[in-house]
mmCIF file of all heavy atoms in Angstrom:
data_model
loop_
_atom_site.group_PDB
_atom_site.id
_atom_site.type_symbol
_atom_site.label_atom_id
_atom_site.label_comp_id
_atom_site.label_asym_id
_atom_site.label_seq_id
_atom_site.Cartn_x
_atom_site.Cartn_y
_atom_site.Cartn_z
ATOM 1 N N ALA A 115 6.220 1.103 4.836
ATOM 2 C CA ALA A 115 6.141 -0.353 4.914
ATOM 3 C C ALA A 115 5.322 -0.803 6.118
ATOM 4 O O ALA A 115 4.518 -1.735 6.026
ATOM 5 C CB ALA A 115 7.541 -0.948 4.975
ATOM 6 N N VAL A 116 5.513 -0.149 7.252
ATOM 7 C CA VAL A 116 4.738 -0.503 8.446
ATOM 8 C C VAL A 116 3.262 -0.221 8.218
ATOM 9 O O VAL A 116 2.403 -1.045 8.562
ATOM 10 C CB VAL A 116 5.267 0.258 9.684
ATOM 11 C CG1 VAL A 116 4.315 0.155 10.846
ATOM 12 C CG2 VAL A 116 6.636 -0.264 10.059
ATOM 13 N N TRP A 117 2.931 0.916 7.610
ATOM 14 C CA TRP A 117 1.535 1.229 7.323
ATOM 15 C C TRP A 117 0.935 0.172 6.407
ATOM 16 O O TRP A 117 -0.185 -0.299 6.636
ATOM 17 C CB TRP A 117 1.399 2.600 6.675
ATOM 18 C CG TRP A 117 -0.031 2.983 6.467
ATOM 19 C CD1 TRP A 117 -0.810 3.687 7.321
ATOM 20 C CD2 TRP A 117 -0.862 2.644 5.361
ATOM 21 N NE1 TRP A 117 -2.069 3.805 6.807
ATOM 22 C CE2 TRP A 117 -2.131 3.178 5.597
ATOM 23 C CE3 TRP A 117 -0.648 1.936 4.187
ATOM 24 C CZ2 TRP A 117 -3.180 3.026 4.717
ATOM 25 C CZ3 TRP A 117 -1.695 1.780 3.300
ATOM 26 C CH2 TRP A 117 -2.950 2.327 3.572
ATOM 27 N N ALA A 118 1.674 -0.202 5.370
ATOM 28 C CA ALA A 118 1.153 -1.192 4.423
ATOM 29 C C ALA A 118 0.942 -2.546 5.091
ATOM 30 O O ALA A 118 -0.040 -3.240 4.803
ATOM 31 C CB ALA A 118 2.098 -1.326 3.240
ATOM 32 N N ASN A 119 1.841 -2.935 5.989
ATOM 33 C CA ASN A 119 1.707 -4.230 6.657
ATOM 34 C C ASN A 119 0.625 -4.230 7.727
ATOM 35 O O ASN A 119 -0.099 -5.210 7.879
ATOM 36 C CB ASN A 119 3.031 -4.640 7.294
ATOM 37 C CG ASN A 119 3.974 -5.232 6.295
ATOM 38 O OD1 ASN A 119 3.560 -5.897 5.363
ATOM 39 N ND2 ASN A 119 5.255 -4.972 6.484
ATOM 40 N N ARG A 120 0.531 -3.155 8.483
ATOM 41 C CA ARG A 120 -0.398 -3.127 9.614
ATOM 42 C C ARG A 120 -1.807 -2.692 9.236
ATOM 43 O O ARG A 120 -2.775 -3.242 9.717
ATOM 44 C CB ARG A 120 0.126 -2.192 10.700
ATOM 45 C CG ARG A 120 1.453 -2.579 11.271
ATOM 46 C CD ARG A 120 1.279 -3.743 12.227
ATOM 47 N NE ARG A 120 2.550 -4.247 12.673
ATOM 48 C CZ ARG A 120 2.993 -4.156 13.906
ATOM 49 N NH1 ARG A 120 2.266 -3.556 14.811
ATOM 50 N NH2 ARG A 120 4.152 -4.659 14.216
ATOM 51 N N ILE A 121 -1.933 -1.671 8.412
ATOM 52 C CA ILE A 121 -3.246 -1.109 8.094
ATOM 53 C C ILE A 121 -3.693 -1.506 6.696
ATOM 54 O O ILE A 121 -4.829 -1.904 6.487
ATOM 55 C CB ILE A 121 -3.225 0.421 8.256
ATOM 56 C CG1 ILE A 121 -2.926 0.759 9.714
ATOM 57 C CG2 ILE A 121 -4.544 1.036 7.814
ATOM 58 C CD1 ILE A 121 -2.614 2.196 9.974
ATOM 59 N N GLY A 122 -2.788 -1.417 5.735
ATOM 60 C CA GLY A 122 -3.134 -1.729 4.355
ATOM 61 C C GLY A 122 -3.555 -3.172 4.156
ATOM 62 O O GLY A 122 -4.319 -3.484 3.241
ATOM 63 N N ALA A 123 -3.079 -4.064 5.008
ATOM 64 C CA ALA A 123 -3.432 -5.476 4.883
ATOM 65 C C ALA A 123 -4.910 -5.728 5.182
ATOM 66 O O ALA A 123 -5.478 -6.711 4.696
ATOM 67 C CB ALA A 123 -2.570 -6.315 5.816
ATOM 68 N N PHE A 124 -5.539 -4.862 5.941
ATOM 69 C CA PHE A 124 -6.945 -5.051 6.298
ATOM 70 C C PHE A 124 -7.902 -4.395 5.316
ATOM 71 O O PHE A 124 -9.111 -4.553 5.437
ATOM 72 C CB PHE A 124 -7.209 -4.510 7.707
ATOM 73 C CG PHE A 124 -6.489 -5.290 8.768
ATOM 74 C CD1 PHE A 124 -5.406 -4.733 9.425
ATOM 75 C CD2 PHE A 124 -6.858 -6.578 9.087
ATOM 76 C CE1 PHE A 124 -4.722 -5.441 10.397
ATOM 77 C CE2 PHE A 124 -6.189 -7.300 10.051
ATOM 78 C CZ PHE A 124 -5.122 -6.725 10.711
ATOM 79 N N LEU A 125 -7.374 -3.638 4.364
ATOM 80 C CA LEU A 125 -8.208 -2.937 3.395
ATOM 81 C C LEU A 125 -8.172 -3.660 2.060
ATOM 82 O O LEU A 125 -7.256 -4.430 1.778
ATOM 83 C CB LEU A 125 -7.703 -1.508 3.201
ATOM 84 C CG LEU A 125 -7.657 -0.618 4.446
ATOM 85 C CD1 LEU A 125 -6.965 0.688 4.105
ATOM 86 C CD2 LEU A 125 -9.046 -0.362 4.963
ATOM 87 N N ALA A 126 -9.168 -3.397 1.247
ATOM 88 C CA ALA A 126 -9.140 -3.903 -0.125
ATOM 89 C C ALA A 126 -7.956 -3.248 -0.840
ATOM 90 O O ALA A 126 -7.594 -2.109 -0.529
ATOM 91 C CB ALA A 126 -10.440 -3.559 -0.832
ATOM 92 N N PRO A 127 -7.327 -3.938 -1.794
ATOM 93 C CA PRO A 127 -6.140 -3.374 -2.450
ATOM 94 C C PRO A 127 -6.362 -1.989 -3.045
ATOM 95 O O PRO A 127 -5.499 -1.117 -2.930
ATOM 96 C CB PRO A 127 -5.817 -4.395 -3.535
ATOM 97 C CG PRO A 127 -6.357 -5.673 -3.016
ATOM 98 C CD PRO A 127 -7.590 -5.298 -2.241
ATOM 99 N N GLU A 128 -7.520 -1.760 -3.658
ATOM 100 C CA GLU A 128 -7.795 -0.445 -4.250
ATOM 101 C C GLU A 128 -7.912 0.620 -3.166
ATOM 102 O O GLU A 128 -7.408 1.735 -3.310
ATOM 103 C CB GLU A 128 -9.073 -0.465 -5.081
ATOM 104 C CG GLU A 128 -9.093 -1.514 -6.178
ATOM 105 C CD GLU A 128 -9.509 -2.890 -5.673
ATOM 106 O OE1 GLU A 128 -10.305 -2.976 -4.725
ATOM 107 O OE2 GLU A 128 -9.001 -3.882 -6.211
ATOM 108 N N ASP A 129 -8.605 0.276 -2.085
ATOM 109 C CA ASP A 129 -8.768 1.219 -0.979
ATOM 110 C C ASP A 129 -7.436 1.491 -0.275
ATOM 111 O O ASP A 129 -7.162 2.616 0.137
ATOM 112 C CB ASP A 129 -9.779 0.684 0.039
ATOM 113 C CG ASP A 129 -11.176 0.566 -0.545
ATOM 114 O OD1 ASP A 129 -11.462 1.266 -1.536
ATOM 115 O OD2 ASP A 129 -11.966 -0.237 -0.013
ATOM 116 N N ALA A 130 -6.619 0.465 -0.145
ATOM 117 C CA ALA A 130 -5.324 0.629 0.519
ATOM 118 C C ALA A 130 -4.427 1.569 -0.277
ATOM 119 O O ALA A 130 -3.773 2.443 0.285
ATOM 120 C CB ALA A 130 -4.649 -0.725 0.693
ATOM 121 N N ARG A 131 -4.419 1.414 -1.590
ATOM 122 C CA ARG A 131 -3.581 2.295 -2.417
ATOM 123 C C ARG A 131 -4.105 3.723 -2.399
ATOM 124 O O ARG A 131 -3.331 4.669 -2.421
ATOM 125 C CB ARG A 131 -3.509 1.777 -3.834
ATOM 126 C CG ARG A 131 -2.696 0.517 -3.935
ATOM 127 C CD ARG A 131 -2.454 0.104 -5.364
ATOM 128 N NE ARG A 131 -1.865 -1.214 -5.429
ATOM 129 C CZ ARG A 131 -0.577 -1.465 -5.218
ATOM 130 N NH1 ARG A 131 0.230 -0.488 -4.925
ATOM 131 N NH2 ARG A 131 -0.116 -2.685 -5.296
ATOM 132 N N ALA A 132 -5.422 3.886 -2.346
ATOM 133 C CA ALA A 132 -6.002 5.227 -2.324
ATOM 134 C C ALA A 132 -5.757 5.924 -0.980
ATOM 135 O O ALA A 132 -5.563 7.139 -0.935
ATOM 136 C CB ALA A 132 -7.495 5.161 -2.609
ATOM 137 N N ALA A 133 -5.756 5.170 0.108
ATOM 138 C CA ALA A 133 -5.620 5.752 1.439
ATOM 139 C C ALA A 133 -4.176 5.792 1.932
ATOM 140 O O ALA A 133 -3.906 6.326 3.000
ATOM 141 C CB ALA A 133 -6.464 4.955 2.435
ATOM 142 N N ALA A 134 -3.254 5.251 1.167
ATOM 143 C CA ALA A 134 -1.863 5.162 1.609
ATOM 144 C C ALA A 134 -1.255 6.550 1.807
ATOM 145 O O ALA A 134 -1.324 7.389 0.920
ATOM 146 C CB ALA A 134 -1.050 4.378 0.589
ATOM 147 N N PRO A 135 -0.661 6.804 2.968
ATOM 148 C CA PRO A 135 -0.047 8.108 3.215
ATOM 149 C C PRO A 135 1.265 8.254 2.448
ATOM 150 O O PRO A 135 1.995 7.287 2.253
ATOM 151 C CB PRO A 135 0.201 8.102 4.725
ATOM 152 C CG PRO A 135 0.320 6.665 5.078
ATOM 153 C CD PRO A 135 -0.573 5.925 4.136
ATOM 154 N N CYS A 136 1.533 9.474 2.020
ATOM 155 C CA CYS A 136 2.763 9.743 1.285
ATOM 156 C C CYS A 136 3.153 11.214 1.479
ATOM 157 O O CYS A 136 2.390 12.102 1.101
ATOM 158 C CB CYS A 136 2.557 9.435 -0.188
ATOM 159 S SG CYS A 136 4.041 9.652 -1.135
ATOM 160 N N PRO A 137 4.317 11.476 2.069
ATOM 161 C CA PRO A 137 4.751 12.862 2.243
ATOM 162 C C PRO A 137 5.028 13.520 0.887
ATOM 163 O O PRO A 137 5.393 12.837 -0.065
ATOM 164 C CB PRO A 137 6.036 12.751 3.048
ATOM 165 C CG PRO A 137 6.112 11.358 3.532
ATOM 166 C CD PRO A 137 5.244 10.530 2.671
ATOM 167 N N PRO A 138 4.874 14.824 0.787
ATOM 168 C CA PRO A 138 5.168 15.512 -0.472
ATOM 169 C C PRO A 138 6.617 15.282 -0.911
ATOM 170 O O PRO A 138 7.534 15.345 -0.103
ATOM 171 C CB PRO A 138 4.944 16.987 -0.143
ATOM 172 C CG PRO A 138 4.107 16.990 1.082
ATOM 173 C CD PRO A 138 4.412 15.728 1.826
ATOM 174 N N GLY A 139 6.794 14.977 -2.186
ATOM 175 C CA GLY A 139 8.123 14.742 -2.725
ATOM 176 C C GLY A 139 8.597 13.303 -2.637
ATOM 177 O O GLY A 139 9.612 12.942 -3.213
ATOM 178 N N PHE A 140 7.883 12.467 -1.930
ATOM 179 C CA PHE A 140 8.278 11.074 -1.753
ATOM 180 C C PHE A 140 7.317 10.118 -2.451
ATOM 181 O O PHE A 140 7.245 8.944 -2.113
ATOM 182 C CB PHE A 140 8.332 10.719 -0.262
ATOM 183 C CG PHE A 140 9.470 11.355 0.463
ATOM 184 C CD1 PHE A 140 9.388 12.652 0.930
ATOM 185 C CD2 PHE A 140 10.646 10.658 0.681
ATOM 186 C CE1 PHE A 140 10.439 13.239 1.605
ATOM 187 C CE2 PHE A 140 11.705 11.241 1.353
ATOM 188 C CZ PHE A 140 11.606 12.537 1.818
ATOM 189 N N ALA A 141 6.576 10.598 -3.445
ATOM 190 C CA ALA A 141 5.531 9.799 -4.077
ATOM 191 C C ALA A 141 6.093 8.544 -4.744
ATOM 192 O O ALA A 141 5.564 7.448 -4.548
ATOM 193 C CB ALA A 141 4.762 10.637 -5.092
ATOM 194 N N ARG A 142 7.145 8.675 -5.534
ATOM 195 C CA ARG A 142 7.694 7.504 -6.221
ATOM 196 C C ARG A 142 8.305 6.504 -5.246
ATOM 197 O O ARG A 142 8.189 5.295 -5.432
ATOM 198 C CB ARG A 142 8.724 7.937 -7.247
ATOM 199 C CG ARG A 142 8.089 8.577 -8.457
ATOM 200 C CD ARG A 142 9.065 9.041 -9.501
ATOM 201 N NE ARG A 142 10.132 8.109 -9.779
ATOM 202 C CZ ARG A 142 11.237 8.435 -10.425
ATOM 203 N NH1 ARG A 142 11.410 9.657 -10.852
ATOM 204 N NH2 ARG A 142 12.174 7.542 -10.660
ATOM 205 N N LEU A 143 8.942 7.002 -4.211
ATOM 206 C CA LEU A 143 9.551 6.126 -3.215
ATOM 207 C C LEU A 143 8.481 5.354 -2.459
ATOM 208 O O LEU A 143 8.575 4.135 -2.293
ATOM 209 C CB LEU A 143 10.407 6.948 -2.254
ATOM 210 C CG LEU A 143 11.256 6.198 -1.253
ATOM 211 C CD1 LEU A 143 12.268 5.319 -1.972
ATOM 212 C CD2 LEU A 143 11.981 7.167 -0.351
ATOM 213 N N CYS A 144 7.428 6.041 -2.027
ATOM 214 C CA CYS A 144 6.336 5.373 -1.327
ATOM 215 C C CYS A 144 5.587 4.419 -2.255
ATOM 216 O O CYS A 144 5.183 3.332 -1.839
ATOM 217 C CB CYS A 144 5.378 6.395 -0.736
ATOM 218 S SG CYS A 144 6.087 7.292 0.653
ATOM 219 N N ALA A 145 5.408 4.804 -3.516
ATOM 220 C CA ALA A 145 4.728 3.924 -4.470
ATOM 221 C C ALA A 145 5.505 2.627 -4.662
ATOM 222 O O ALA A 145 4.911 1.552 -4.781
ATOM 223 C CB ALA A 145 4.539 4.643 -5.794
ATOM 224 N N ALA A 146 6.831 2.716 -4.673
ATOM 225 C CA ALA A 146 7.644 1.509 -4.801
ATOM 226 C C ALA A 146 7.479 0.601 -3.583
ATOM 227 O O ALA A 146 7.403 -0.625 -3.716
ATOM 228 C CB ALA A 146 9.110 1.886 -4.995
ATOM 229 N N VAL A 147 7.418 1.199 -2.404
ATOM 230 C CA VAL A 147 7.223 0.404 -1.181
ATOM 231 C C VAL A 147 5.849 -0.249 -1.202
ATOM 232 O O VAL A 147 5.713 -1.447 -0.935
ATOM 233 C CB VAL A 147 7.390 1.279 0.078
ATOM 234 C CG1 VAL A 147 6.978 0.521 1.330
ATOM 235 C CG2 VAL A 147 8.808 1.764 0.196
ATOM 236 N N TYR A 148 4.824 0.521 -1.548
ATOM 237 C CA TYR A 148 3.473 -0.032 -1.571
ATOM 238 C C TYR A 148 3.330 -1.096 -2.644
ATOM 239 O O TYR A 148 2.589 -2.061 -2.469
ATOM 240 C CB TYR A 148 2.438 1.076 -1.769
ATOM 241 C CG TYR A 148 2.396 2.062 -0.622
ATOM 242 C CD1 TYR A 148 2.263 3.416 -0.841
ATOM 243 C CD2 TYR A 148 2.516 1.633 0.687
ATOM 244 C CE1 TYR A 148 2.234 4.322 0.201
ATOM 245 C CE2 TYR A 148 2.499 2.527 1.744
ATOM 246 C CZ TYR A 148 2.350 3.867 1.493
ATOM 247 O OH TYR A 148 2.334 4.741 2.532
ATOM 248 N N ALA A 149 4.037 -0.958 -3.757
ATOM 249 C CA ALA A 149 3.970 -1.972 -4.810
ATOM 250 C C ALA A 149 4.558 -3.299 -4.325
ATOM 251 O O ALA A 149 4.077 -4.367 -4.717
ATOM 252 C CB ALA A 149 4.710 -1.495 -6.049
ATOM 253 N N ARG A 150 5.570 -3.225 -3.476
ATOM 254 C CA ARG A 150 6.169 -4.460 -2.958
ATOM 255 C C ARG A 150 5.335 -5.093 -1.855
ATOM 256 O O ARG A 150 5.282 -6.311 -1.730
ATOM 257 C CB ARG A 150 7.553 -4.187 -2.404
ATOM 258 C CG ARG A 150 8.601 -3.956 -3.443
ATOM 259 C CD ARG A 150 9.947 -3.937 -2.790
ATOM 260 N NE ARG A 150 10.299 -5.286 -2.370
ATOM 261 C CZ ARG A 150 11.402 -5.885 -2.725
ATOM 262 N NH1 ARG A 150 12.255 -5.273 -3.498
ATOM 263 N NH2 ARG A 150 11.666 -7.099 -2.297
ATOM 264 N N VAL A 151 4.705 -4.275 -1.036
ATOM 265 C CA VAL A 151 4.058 -4.790 0.169
ATOM 266 C C VAL A 151 2.577 -5.094 -0.044
ATOM 267 O O VAL A 151 2.092 -6.137 0.377
ATOM 268 C CB VAL A 151 4.246 -3.809 1.341
ATOM 269 C CG1 VAL A 151 3.545 -4.311 2.580
ATOM 270 C CG2 VAL A 151 5.721 -3.604 1.615
ATOM 271 N N LEU A 152 1.865 -4.188 -0.695
ATOM 272 C CA LEU A 152 0.428 -4.387 -0.875
ATOM 273 C C LEU A 152 0.173 -5.360 -2.018
ATOM 274 O O LEU A 152 0.863 -5.325 -3.028
ATOM 275 C CB LEU A 152 -0.267 -3.055 -1.171
ATOM 276 C CG LEU A 152 -0.267 -2.045 -0.027
ATOM 277 C CD1 LEU A 152 -0.854 -0.734 -0.515
ATOM 278 C CD2 LEU A 152 -1.048 -2.561 1.155
ATOM 279 N N PRO A 153 -0.842 -6.202 -1.881
ATOM 280 C CA PRO A 153 -1.146 -7.135 -2.969
ATOM 281 C C PRO A 153 -1.707 -6.388 -4.183
ATOM 282 O O PRO A 153 -2.318 -5.335 -4.037
ATOM 283 C CB PRO A 153 -2.198 -8.066 -2.361
ATOM 284 C CG PRO A 153 -2.813 -7.281 -1.269
ATOM 285 C CD PRO A 153 -1.735 -6.363 -0.749
ATOM 286 N N GLU A 154 -1.486 -6.958 -5.359
ATOM 287 C CA GLU A 154 -1.998 -6.336 -6.576
ATOM 288 C C GLU A 154 -3.531 -6.374 -6.618
ATOM 289 O O GLU A 154 -4.170 -5.424 -6.904
ATOM 290 C CB GLU A 154 -1.430 -7.034 -7.812
ATOM 291 C CG GLU A 154 0.015 -6.693 -8.066
ATOM 292 C CD GLU A 154 0.207 -5.232 -8.391
ATOM 293 O OE1 GLU A 154 -0.606 -4.661 -9.134
ATOM 294 O OE2 GLU A 154 1.166 -4.647 -7.884
ATOM 295 N N ARG A 155 -4.071 -7.531 -6.355
ATOM 296 C CA ARG A 155 -5.526 -7.683 -6.361
ATOM 297 C C ARG A 155 -5.868 -8.883 -5.499
ATOM 298 O O ARG A 155 -5.053 -9.748 -5.257
ATOM 299 C CB ARG A 155 -6.044 -7.876 -7.779
ATOM 300 C CG ARG A 155 -5.509 -9.108 -8.439
ATOM 301 C CD ARG A 155 -5.981 -9.217 -9.890
ATOM 302 N NE ARG A 155 -5.415 -10.382 -10.505
ATOM 303 C CZ ARG A 155 -4.223 -10.462 -11.058
ATOM 304 N NH1 ARG A 155 -3.433 -9.421 -11.033
ATOM 305 N NH2 ARG A 155 -3.799 -11.574 -11.608
ATOM 306 N N GLU A 156 -7.105 -8.928 -5.092
ATOM 307 C CA GLU A 156 -7.557 -10.063 -4.293
ATOM 308 C C GLU A 156 -7.825 -11.236 -5.198
ATOM 309 O O GLU A 156 -8.334 -11.097 -6.309
ATOM 310 C CB GLU A 156 -8.851 -9.697 -3.536
ATOM 311 C CG GLU A 156 -8.606 -8.825 -2.344
ATOM 312 C CD GLU A 156 -9.861 -8.666 -1.531
ATOM 313 O OE1 GLU A 156 -10.742 -9.524 -1.617
ATOM 314 O OE2 GLU A 156 -9.947 -7.670 -0.811
ATOM 315 N N THR A 157 -7.473 -12.418 -4.707
ATOM 316 C CA THR A 157 -7.791 -13.629 -5.451
ATOM 317 C C THR A 157 -8.909 -14.345 -4.723
ATOM 318 O O THR A 157 -8.870 -14.521 -3.519
ATOM 319 C CB THR A 157 -6.559 -14.546 -5.547
ATOM 320 O OG1 THR A 157 -6.091 -14.829 -4.226
ATOM 321 C CG2 THR A 157 -5.448 -13.875 -6.340
ATOM 322 N N ASN A 158 -9.911 -14.706 -5.448
ATOM 323 C CA ASN A 158 -11.037 -15.439 -4.863
ATOM 324 C C ASN A 158 -10.859 -16.914 -5.171
ATOM 325 O O ASN A 158 -11.272 -17.407 -6.204
ATOM 326 C CB ASN A 158 -12.366 -14.928 -5.427
ATOM 327 C CG ASN A 158 -12.634 -13.503 -5.015
ATOM 328 O OD1 ASN A 158 -12.236 -13.114 -3.932
ATOM 329 N ND2 ASN A 158 -13.293 -12.747 -5.857
#
């Protein structure tokens, strides 16, 4: 959550999801956190 708020907020949504760190075995848990925190897409 801290990574998504501090670093992911400055990246494009696609880049943030691609660069998001995730320890082995915690993929679904981290994906759920990133789904809540990172925006789905940019609105122009």
Side-chain angles (χ1 to χ4, degrees):
V116 167
W117 184 92
N119 279 326
R120 299 284 173 113
I121 298 169
F124 294 108
L125 301 173
E128 304 83 31
D129 295 337
R131 289 188 189 281
C136 183
F140 289 83
R142 287 179 43 196
L143 187 61
C144 290
V147 171
Y148 296 139
R150 286 190 71 125
V151 178
L152 293 174
E154 286 296 319
R155 62 184 178 276
E156 284 188 23
T157 56
N158 294 327

